[in-house]
């Protein structure tokens, strides 16, 4: 194949182009239509680790049987069958290098170009690892992420994807493409899904979708999703909406002669020039990129379109190179219309026909630089988000050991430092136990372990005692996985202390409203019914008018008592407005005079002074004194005093309260008397709690009731 092509060219052109193919940085291979080797250059010999003598005329799969059944075979045979350009990437373990293989068909067979993309692969991996942890912060940000099973049902939809259709992720889960898209889009999605599931390869394409009557364009990246055993169980997709995307398609001429095809179809611009920069030959890519005709270019100098390097800089490069040397430079080419674009150029100094010549292979890197700038911008945006977010963001490194994962703080954002009193410098490299102590540290590590074991984000609420004080946080943890192992945890914690307290206050208010509604609905109904019935009987039976009137007054008095006690509970039962020194003796004696005590007597065991709200304390004594008198035959002794362990007590020698009723005695509406409201002890308990006291009901030494208020502030 090669020899016949050479015969069709002039000796100078054939020699020149053969030399080019031997000097290019890419491996070049030619196969006939039976997939037998007809040509390979020196670079291809190194990449394939085989000599021309071994491979010429041999079938490709006989030479490399280990490649059968791989993506290499699928791609090469597809290019031969469809006569369309194909490409795939391949790793050479012996060279520890990555290559991009581009396959170009023509009527003679196939041309294969092996381009070394190891640097690009390493760069991509570094950028991927760097951005993986940043992407975890905002759950893939605005990109729509989804996971489908083999039947096409969405098993996972992130918030960005669900928002496209006005749904929540939960509402979108379980649906199919037909629930969201038109029939044409559904057919395309199914076709691509089937291809991915069959070939088990990823796919990337642009798609136009009709959403809410509006055409929107997305860049779709879809991948086979595998379970832990490596079986493909579905499809994972990332969809990014784009406003404009241009793809430049390269159509290769299949009818060119074989040697010219190998030279012309190189994807890079090739310029052959002498030591002065005068151009001797160019390929079609150079013509396309610069916009000049081939005839015009052959009359030009490299300095006529290279504007990134001056003429002096170019000649300095050429004069310092020896035959066999290669140099890589960055430059900028100027198009015929005056526009410029950045390039990377590889310059080889070689001999062609006994003359020293330079072969310059250049590549337009506009798109590459745009992507790099975009990634740099994205990194800066993430950094700005981290530095200015009003949430506490932290990074925890995960180290695997025989005893399980170990966690060490790596970084805290400024809000985290201000809210907790910690700082990145002091916590970096330390475990949670070292920073926050064994108890709280163990609690944090338990949550981190849950995140590692789940392998997915988790959320929970926690109350933490930090150097800056106790706060309640709503915390979200997201694992960062590298090579299947969780290597870091990214945490975002939001201070919800005020919200939780507001919710707790609202809950208590609602409970009190329910309680008061029950009182009005239940406890007022009985005396109201009595008053209504007696009023009716007074009219129907005047002879008992006096008796009915008395019963009506009693019912109304009871209603007044219930309303009075309820208002105390509703308005001030949980308040202690102003605390001040209060003489227990004075308050107790004043309250005794306000209660109908009959033959009862009051004894002050200790004259003491405590810190209290005097108005609220009066309600306590009045209710307890009234309770003691009403539950006895009237001849009862009530004793008041304080003990040295900060306990205030009120006790009597009446009948007391049975042990089985002491737990429920403080509940609203609980009473053992027919005429009692059942709120007296409830008021006592509420007022005690408002002071921060604890009240207990027990038996006195005489068998009566004894109320003890602990945790009081005893002043004297």
């Amino acid at each position: 194949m090669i020899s016949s092509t050479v015969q069709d060219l002039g000796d100078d052109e054939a020699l020149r182009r053969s030399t080019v193919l031997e000097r290019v940085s890419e491996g070049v291979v030619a196969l006939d239509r039976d997939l037998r080797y007809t040509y390979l250059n020196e670079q291809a010999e190194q990449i394939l680790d085989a000599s021309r003598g071994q491979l010429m005329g041999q079938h490709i799969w006989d030479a490399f049987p280990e490649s059968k059944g791989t993506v290499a075979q699928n791609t090469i045979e597809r290019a031969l069958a469809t006569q369309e350009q194909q490409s795939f990437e391949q790793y050479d373990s012996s060279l520890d290098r990555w290559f991009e293989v581009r396959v170009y068909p023509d009527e003679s067979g196939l041309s294969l170009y092996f381009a070394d993309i190891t640097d690009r692969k390493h760069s991509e991996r570094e950028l991927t690892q760097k951005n993986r942890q940043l992407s975890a912060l905002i759950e893939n940000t605005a990109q729509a992420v989804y996971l489908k099973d083999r039947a096409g049902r969405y098993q996972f939809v992130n918030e960005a994807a669900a928002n496209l259709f006005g749904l929540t992720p939960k509402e979108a889960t379980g649906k199919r493409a037909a629930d969201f898209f038109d029939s044409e889009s559904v057919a395309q999605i199914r076709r691509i899904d089937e291809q991915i599931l069959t070939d088990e390869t990823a796919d990337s394409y642009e798609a136009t979708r009709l959403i809410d009557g509006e055409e929107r364009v997305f860049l779709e990246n879809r991948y086979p999703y595998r379970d832990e055993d490596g079986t493909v169980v579905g499809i994972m997709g990332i969809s990014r909406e784009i406003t404009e995307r241009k793809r430049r398609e390269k159509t290769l001429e299949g009818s060119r002669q074989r040697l010219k095809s190998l030279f012309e179809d190189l994807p890079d611009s090739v310029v052959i020039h002498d030591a002065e920069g005068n151009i001797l030959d160019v390929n079609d890519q150079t013509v396309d990129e610069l916009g000049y005709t081939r005839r015009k270019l052959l009359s030009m100098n490299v300095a006529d379109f290279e504007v990134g390097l001056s003429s002096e800089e170019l000649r300095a490069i050429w004069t310092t190179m020896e035959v066999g040397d290669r140099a890589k430079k960055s430059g900028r080419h100027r198009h015929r219309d005056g526009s410029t674009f950045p390039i990377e150029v590889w310059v080889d100094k070689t001999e062609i026909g006994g003359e020293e010549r330079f072969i310059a292979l250049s590549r337009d890197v506009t798109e590459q630089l745009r992507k790099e700038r975009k990634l740099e911008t994205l990194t800066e945006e993430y950094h700005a988000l981290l530095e200015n977010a009003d949430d506490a963001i932290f990074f925890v490194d995960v180290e695997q050991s025989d005893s399980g994962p170990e966690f060490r703080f790596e970084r805290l954002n400024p809000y985290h430092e201000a809210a907790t009193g910690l700082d990145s410098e002091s916590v970096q490299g330390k475990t949670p136990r070292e920073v926050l102590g064994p108890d709280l540290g163990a609690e944090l590590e338990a949550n981190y372990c849950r995140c590692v074991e789940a392998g997915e984000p988790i959320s929970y609420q926690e109350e933490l005692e930090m150097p800056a004080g106790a706060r309640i946080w709503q915390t979200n943890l997201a694992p960062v996985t590298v090579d299947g192992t969780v290597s870091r945890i990214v945490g975002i914690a939001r201070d919800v202390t005020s919200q939780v307290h507001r919710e707790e206050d609202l809950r208590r208010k609602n409970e009190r409203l329910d309680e008061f509604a029950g009182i009005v609905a239940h406890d007022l109904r009985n005396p109201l019914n009595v008053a209504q019935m007696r009023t009716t009987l007074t009219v129907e039976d005047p002879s008992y008018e006096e008796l009915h009137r008395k019963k009506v007054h009693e019912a109304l008095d009871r209603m007044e008592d219930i309303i009075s006690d309820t208002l105390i509970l509703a308005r001030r039962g949980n308040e202690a407005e102003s605390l001040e020194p209060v003489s227990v003796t004075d308050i107790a004696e004043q309250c005794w005079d306000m209660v109908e005590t009959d033959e009862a007597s009051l004894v002050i065991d200790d004259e003491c002074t405590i810190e209290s709200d005097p108005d609220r304390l009066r309600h306590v004594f009045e209710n307890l004194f009234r309770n003691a008198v009403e539950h006895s035959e009237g001849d009862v002794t009530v004793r008041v005093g304080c003990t040295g362990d900060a306990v205030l007590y009120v006790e009597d020698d009446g009948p007391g309260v049975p042990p089985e009723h002491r737990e429920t005695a403080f509940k609203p509406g609980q009473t053992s008397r027919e005429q009692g409201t059942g709120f007296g002890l409830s008021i006592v308990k509420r007022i005690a709690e408002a002071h921060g006291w604890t009240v207990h009901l027990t038996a006195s030494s005489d068998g009566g009731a004894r109320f003890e208020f602990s945790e009081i502030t005893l002043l004297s």
Side-chain angles (χ1 to χ4, degrees):
M1 181 184 298
I2 293 295
S3 59
S4 63
T5 303
V6 171
Q7 292 174 358
D8 295 335
L9 302 173
D11 291 341
D12 290 342
E13 184 178 4
L15 178 61
R16 184 165 60 245
R17 298 195 174 185
S18 296
T19 303
V20 169
L21 294 174
E22 293 299 324
R23 295 297 297 171
V24 295
S25 60
E26 296 183 338
V28 182
V29 169
L31 302 173
D32 63 18
R33 295 192 64 82
D34 294 328
L35 300 183
R36 298 182 181 278
Y37 286 94
T38 61
Y39 175 79
L40 62 159
N41 66 354
E42 292 181 4
Q43 185 70 5
E45 288 182 296
Q46 296 180 18
I47 295 173
L48 298 176
D49 193 23
S51 67
R52 301 181 193 184
Q54 292 175 299
L55 296 180
M56 293 295 287
Q58 192 172 178
H59 193 280
I60 186 172
W61 308 131
D62 293 337
F64 299 100
E66 67 276 8
S67 296
K68 295 188 68 176
T70 66
V71 66
Q73 182 182 13
N74 293 338
T75 305
I76 290 173
E77 293 181 353
R78 184 161 58 248
L80 187 63
T82 64
Q83 286 296 293
E84 294 179 355
Q85 173 189 338
Q86 307 289 335
S87 67
F88 62 93
E89 295 180 357
Q90 180 171 308
Y91 175 71
D92 190 320
S93 58
S94 62
L95 297 176
D96 190 24
R97 309 293 291 176
W98 278 92
F99 295 92
E100 179 185 31
V101 183
R102 298 185 297 282
V103 185
Y104 300 92
D106 61 23
E107 76 281 357
S108 302
L110 300 175
S111 300
L112 278 65
Y113 299 88
F114 296 78
D116 189 336
I117 60 171
T118 305
D119 291 342
R120 192 188 80 192
K121 278 289 187 179
H122 289 169
S123 177
E124 289 175 352
R125 182 173 182 180
E126 291 174 359
L127 290 173
T128 299
Q129 291 175 341
K130 184 175 182 180
N131 283 286
R132 187 178 288 126
Q133 58 176 287
L134 299 175
S135 298
L137 288 174
I138 50 177
E139 201 248 340
N140 295 319
T141 63
Q143 295 190 32
V145 182
Y146 55 87
L147 178 65
K148 301 194 292 187
D149 61 17
R150 295 185 70 94
R153 289 184 296 269
Y154 289 95
Q155 302 298 304
F156 167 78
V157 177
N158 76 339
E159 188 172 352
N163 284 342
L164 290 173
F165 308 100
L167 302 175
T168 64
K170 183 177 181 181
E171 291 170 339
T173 301
K175 295 184 181 297
R176 300 173 185 265
D179 297 317
F180 301 128
F181 304 110
D182 59 90
S183 58
E184 183 178 348
S185 296
V186 171
Q188 181 195 41
I189 291 170
R190 287 176 178 169
R191 183 172 63 255
I192 296 174
D193 284 353
E194 291 172 359
Q195 188 68 41
I196 292 174
L197 294 174
T198 300
D199 297 344
E200 298 186 1
T201 57
D203 199 359
S204 177
Y205 60 95
E206 289 183 10
T208 301
R209 304 288 185 232
L210 191 64
I211 299 177
D212 293 333
E214 178 186 357
E215 284 192 353
R216 299 165 73 171
V217 182
F218 298 88
L219 176 62
E220 297 278 356
N221 293 279
R222 308 173 77 183
Y223 316 88
Y225 182 72
R226 303 176 185 272
D227 61 13
E228 295 180 353
D229 299 327
T231 303
V232 176
V233 295
I235 294 174
M236 180 178 66
I238 301 176
S239 179
R240 178 166 58 90
E241 186 171 358
I242 57 176
T243 56
E244 182 180 356
R245 184 68 181 268
K246 294 182 179 180
R247 290 189 178 186
R248 184 172 181 176
E249 299 293 338
K250 300 175 182 178
T251 304
L252 303 175
E253 295 182 2
S255 59
R256 296 180 182 176
Q257 298 175 354
R258 193 64 188 144
L259 184 58
K260 183 177 181 180
S261 175
L262 291 174
F263 178 79
E264 294 295 349
D265 292 341
L266 283 172
D268 297 326
S269 170
V270 181
V271 175
I272 303 175
H273 62 85
D274 61 19
E276 298 299 319
N278 298 311
I279 298 175
L280 304 175
D281 200 359
V282 296
N283 67 346
D284 285 349
Q285 184 67 16
T286 306
V287 173
D288 293 341
E289 283 191 356
L290 296 179
Y292 297 98
T293 64
R294 183 185 299 273
R295 180 186 297 275
K296 178 62 176 176
L297 285 169
L298 294 179
S299 67
M300 295 171 63
N301 190 283
V302 172
D304 293 335
F305 56 80
E306 172 53 59
V307 296
L309 298 170
S310 66
S311 299
E312 292 74 16
E313 290 173 318
L314 290 172
R315 288 187 174 83
I317 295 172
W318 300 332
T319 56
T320 56
M321 293 181 66
E322 300 291 339
V323 173
D325 287 349
R326 165 172 288 190
K328 180 181 178 182
K329 298 292 181 180
S330 295
R332 196 168 189 87
H333 281 176
R334 179 170 54 207
H335 192 271
R336 181 187 177 190
D337 63 9
S339 62
T340 64
F341 56 92
I343 55 100
E344 283 185 351
V345 59
W346 292 263
V347 181
D348 282 83
K349 187 173 184 179
T350 186
E351 286 189 358
I352 300 177
E355 299 287 341
E356 292 185 355
R357 296 291 182 254
F358 294 86
I359 302 174
L361 287 88
S362 62
R363 178 173 298 171
D364 184 347
V365 293
T366 302
E367 185 67 12
Q368 176 183 334
L369 293 178
R370 187 190 68 80
K371 290 181 178 179
E372 291 176 357
R373 286 194 296 269
K374 186 173 183 179
L375 287 172
E376 291 173 358
T377 300
L378 183 61
T379 301
E380 292 174 358
E381 290 174 350
Y382 282 139
H383 180 73
L385 172 65
L386 188 66
E387 293 297 314
N388 298 286
D390 288 337
D391 291 324
I393 302 175
F394 56 95
F395 298 88
V396 179
D397 286 332
V398 182
E399 301 173 0
Q400 299 296 334
S401 66
D402 294 338
S403 59
E406 295 181 355
F407 307 99
R408 297 184 182 276
F409 289 111
E410 195 274 332
R411 184 183 177 189
L412 313 176
N413 77 330
Y415 181 87
H416 193 299
E417 294 178 334
T420 63
L422 303 174
D423 63 87
S424 292
E425 184 176 354
S426 64
V427 306
Q428 190 173 41
K430 294 182 180 179
T431 67
R433 297 177 193 238
E434 292 172 338
V435 175
L436 301 170
D439 295 334
L440 181 54
E443 182 180 339
L444 295 182
E445 289 176 356
N447 289 325
Y448 300 163
C449 280
R450 285 199 301 120
C451 180
V452 171
E453 292 169 358
E456 60 185 22
I458 64 171
S459 299
Y460 55 91
Q461 186 170 291
E462 58 185 345
E463 183 171 2
L464 302 178
E465 182 69 43
M466 292 290 186
R471 309 296 291 172
I472 301 173
W473 302 92
Q474 181 64 41
T475 302
N476 296 275
L477 301 179
V480 178
T481 304
V482 178
D483 297 330
T485 302
V486 177
S487 62
R488 177 169 290 186
I489 291 175
V490 179
I492 303 178
R494 176 161 294 177
D495 186 347
V496 295
T497 307
S498 299
Q499 176 185 338
V500 170
H501 288 169
R502 285 195 302 271
E503 291 173 353
E504 183 64 22
D505 289 342
L506 181 59
R507 182 189 64 78
R508 286 196 296 267
K509 289 178 180 178
N510 287 336
E511 289 176 353
R512 290 174 62 187
L513 286 174
D514 290 341
E515 178 183 304
F516 301 147
I519 293 170
V520 173
H522 180 270
D523 294 302
L524 285 178
R525 183 178 293 117
N526 288 337
L528 180 60
N529 289 340
V530 169
Q532 290 173 334
M533 180 188 69
R534 291 290 181 174
T535 302
T536 302
L537 291 176
T538 300
V539 177
E540 295 176 351
D541 188 2
S543 61
Y544 287 93
E545 180 180 354
E546 186 63 31
L547 174 61
H548 295 323
R549 184 182 298 112
K550 179 180 179 182
K551 293 297 184 180
V552 169
H553 281 297
E554 290 176 353
L556 294 176
D557 289 343
R558 174 165 171 75
M559 291 171 64
E560 183 180 6
D561 290 342
I562 292 174
I563 292 172
S564 176
D565 287 347
T566 303
L567 288 175
I568 292 174
L569 282 174
R571 294 175 177 172
R572 306 187 66 186
N574 285 70
E575 299 177 4
E577 295 180 346
S578 60
L579 301 180
E580 59 185 67
V582 176
S583 169
V584 172
T585 302
D586 294 344
I587 289 289
E589 290 177 347
Q590 292 171 14
C591 293
W592 188 259
D593 292 337
M594 297 299 294
V595 177
E596 294 183 7
T597 54
D598 297 330
E599 299 178 4
S601 59
L602 173 67
V603 177
I604 305 298
D605 290 339
D606 304 283
E607 293 187 2
C608 56
T609 301
I610 65 173
E611 186 177 68
S612 171
D613 182 329
D615 289 340
R616 305 277 64 75
L617 187 58
R618 286 190 181 91
H619 283 298
V620 171
F621 283 143
E622 287 176 3
N623 277 284
L624 292 181
F625 294 164
R626 188 181 298 110
N627 190 72
V629 173
E630 291 175 350
H631 285 79
S632 67
E633 297 299 328
D635 185 13
V636 64
T637 299
V638 179
R639 310 183 75 90
V640 177
C642 298
T643 65
D645 52 356
V647 173
L648 170 67
Y649 64 85
V650 178
E651 66 177 19
D652 61 61
D653 56 2
V657 179
E660 63 272 17
H661 295 157
R662 292 172 186 168
E663 288 295 327
T664 60
F666 293 102
K667 291 185 177 180
Q670 296 292 321
T671 180
S672 61
R673 293 191 312 109
E674 182 179 350
Q675 298 301 318
T677 66
F679 298 113
L681 294 186
S682 179
I683 293 173
V684 169
K685 185 173 186 296
R686 294 281 180 85
I687 294 174
E689 291 174 345
H691 283 80
W693 304 339
T694 302
V695 60
H696 296 283
L697 172 57
T698 182
S700 68
S701 59
D702 296 321
R706 178 181 173 95
F707 295 86
E708 294 183 345
F709 300 87
S710 56
E711 302 176 43
I712 67 172
T713 301
L714 185 62
L715 302 179
S716 65

